[in-house]
Amino acid sequence: MVTFRDTNVDDPAAHALIADYFDMRDATFPHELGAYTPKFPIVADFLPPKGVFVVLVDNDGEDIGCGGVRGISPTRFEIKHLWVQPRAQGRGLGRLLLGELESRAAGFGATEIVLDTNASLRAAGGLYRTSGYLNVEPYNDNPNATDWFWKKIP
């Protein structure tokens, strides 16, 4: 059993999870693309009704993942920093977290969701494709991204 805890992106637990994610990406980023460029999220972008940031908590009360959704137009929202710690991966928690963020976006009025990722994150790309996301042309200038995705939501 896991739960979702709404929090600010600058909350110490959320910040630590994002920093762990950035450390992992820095260590595994494809060198041919240059250096990994971490960018901590802006608090105001993830405050209702513009967005939300959640921490995934396991049944022992441990923070094991995070993710956020933010509005980039009145009906287009973007998923950011979706991550599950390696010790908790492989149990469907990424899909659960993605579904929670999609639901939250819909609650804010989203009719479409976009996100970006890097092709080296094969599991993430697979998750997005099997969750109904389609590859699209770049919608931002994220230097870490190689793949951009879009999904219409009801």
Side-chain angles (χ1 to χ4, degrees):
M1 178 100 184
V2 296
T3 57
F4 300 99
R5 177 171 43 88
D6 293 13
T7 190
N8 290 334
V9 295
D10 62 350
D11 170 80
H15 187 84
L17 286 164
I18 296 168
D20 286 349
Y21 170 74
F22 288 162
D23 289 346
M24 179 275 300
R25 287 307 297 145
D26 186 52
T28 61
F29 197 70
H31 296 288
E32 64 272 13
L33 297 178
Y36 180 73
T37 308
K39 183 178 177 186
F40 279 92
I42 298 168
V43 173
D45 288 348
F46 295 91
L47 296 175
K50 188 173 181 178
V52 67
F53 197 83
V54 300
V55 169
L56 183 63
V57 182
D58 70 11
N59 58 356
D60 295 323
E62 298 290 323
D63 299 330
I64 57 170
C66 63
V69 62
R70 66 180 181 173
I72 57 176
S73 84
T75 59
R76 178 180 264 200
F77 279 65
E78 180 182 37
I79 290 178
K80 296 296 292 180
H81 309 296
L82 189 147
W83 186 62
V84 175
Q85 290 183 328
R87 65 186 172 90
Q89 291 175 359
R91 302 187 324 207
L93 298 176
R95 187 172 305 279
L96 185 69
L97 181 55
L98 179 62
E100 179 70 13
L101 294 173
E102 289 175 348
S103 177
R104 299 293 188 97
F108 292 133
T111 60
E112 61 181 332
I113 296 178
V114 293
L115 56 88
D116 61 47
T117 191
N118 187 281
S120 65
L121 296 170
R122 288 186 181 87
L127 169 63
Y128 303 139
R129 287 180 186 92
T130 61
S131 297
Y133 286 81
L134 304 173
N135 286 89
V136 294
E137 291 297 315
Y139 64 87
N140 64 21
D141 60 357
N142 181 349
N144 302 314
T146 59
D147 295 337
W148 290 261
F149 290 93
W150 171 91
K151 180 179 180 179
K152 182 164 181 56
I153 58 172

